[in-house]
Amino acid sequence: MKFTPKDIPDVILIEPDVHRDARGFFLETWRQDRYAEIVGEGLDFVQDNHSRSRRGVLRGLHTQTRRPQGKLVRVVRGEVFDVAAD
């Protein structure tokens, strides 16, 4: 996996290694030891959600002041314009 820290602290672009062959492809979407190397020990990954949006849909920009959470955003097909605000 390739981990690229962004300008905002704690925002990291994660690009998985995709292994392709005649059957299709395989990639790891979560591996606790690799993520812990980057974001630190004590990583407590407790929820994974999957949604699908039509082209042009804007999904919420959420303020998290009382109980902040990390987000793991995965793009399965197409592209996404993801915004993180500090």
Side-chain angles (χ1 to χ4, degrees):
M1 278 186 214
K2 180 179 176 187
F3 294 84
T4 306
K6 304 312 278 181
D7 292 337
I8 297 175
D10 298 328
V11 175
I12 303 168
L13 174 63
I14 302 169
E15 298 172 273
D17 296 323
V18 180
H19 307 279
R20 299 179 189 278
D21 63 21
R23 299 168 293 176
F25 68 90
F26 172 85
L27 65 115
E28 287 182 340
T29 57
W30 173 255
R31 192 170 126 196
Q32 187 169 359
D33 63 333
R34 281 292 285 136
Y35 279 61
E37 288 176 24
I38 303 304
V39 299
E41 294 297 326
L43 180 64
D44 191 16
F45 189 81
V46 296
Q47 184 175 338
D48 181 28
N49 301 320
H50 184 99
S51 66
R52 181 177 183 206
S53 300
R54 295 177 194 210
R55 184 180 182 94
V57 167
L58 174 64
R59 291 207 177 251
L61 178 62
H62 305 281
T63 301
Q64 297 182 6
T65 54
R66 282 188 249 152
R67 292 177 51 199
Q69 298 176 336
K71 302 290 185 197
L72 178 60
V73 177
R74 181 182 336 154
V75 180
V76 177
R77 181 174 57 182
E79 60 184 51
V80 65
F81 180 72
D82 192 35
V83 176
D86 185 13

